[in-house]
Amino acid sequence: MANDAACKACTGRSDLQRAAVTALAAALAACSSTPPPTEQVEAARAAVSQAAPVAVRDGAAELTAAQIKLSRAQQEMERGEYASARMLAEQAEVDARYAWTLAENARVQRAAVEVGESVKVLREELDRRGK
């Protein structure tokens, strides 16, 4: 009889309640099966290391953001918060690559200005020789 009462209690639940319980169980199962984002953290660490030497001058704010997000990703990973660790690691990698791109762009622009100045000097020299 106790089993009959339990079954009647289960069947007395609404479809919405059963769907909510099923969704909760699925969400809990998904959270527990999320693997540690080791590759993402390593990729972010590599991107930050690559950007650090060149982005100190140009892209410093973006580099700092990447370093902070990488640190937070590592902390989240230690706490077992793998979903947020993955997100932060991916953001850190993007920020570091952006910092590197800004720095590289600034370096190329400075080089272009130097080449332009050299061309100007050469033209002036050719003009003097031609006269």
Side-chain angles (χ1 to χ4, degrees):
M1 283 233 170
N3 287 340
D4 288 341
C7 290
K8 286 180 184 176
C10 289
T11 57
R13 299 206 184 261
S14 72
D15 289 338
L16 182 61
Q17 287 173 325
R18 274 181 266 174
V21 169
T22 302
L24 179 61
L28 290 173
C31 288
S32 65
S33 65
T34 302
T38 308
E39 291 177 18
Q40 288 81 4
V41 171
E42 286 303 317
R45 189 176 290 125
V48 167
S49 293
Q50 179 188 20
V54 296
V56 172
R57 179 175 171 185
D58 303 298
E62 292 77 8
L63 178 60
T64 299
Q67 291 167 329
I68 290 169
K69 288 176 184 176
L70 175 59
S71 176
R72 287 180 53 209
Q74 291 168 331
Q75 291 169 358
E76 290 293 297
M77 212 164 125
E78 289 171 7
R79 284 197 296 261
E81 299 292 333
Y82 298 146
S84 61
R86 178 181 313 276
M87 180 186 66
L88 286 164
E90 289 171 350
Q91 290 176 356
E93 182 181 5
V94 169
D95 288 348
R97 294 199 186 284
Y98 182 54
W100 182 87
T101 301
L102 288 174
E104 190 63 15
N105 183 43
R107 184 192 66 78
V108 168
Q109 286 182 352
R110 284 190 297 272
V113 168
E114 289 176 14
V115 168
E117 289 171 357
S118 295
V119 168
K120 181 182 174 186
V121 169
L122 287 173
R123 282 190 179 146
E124 290 170 356
E125 182 66 28
L126 286 173
D127 285 347
R128 274 192 297 248
R129 287 185 181 183
K131 290 182 181 180

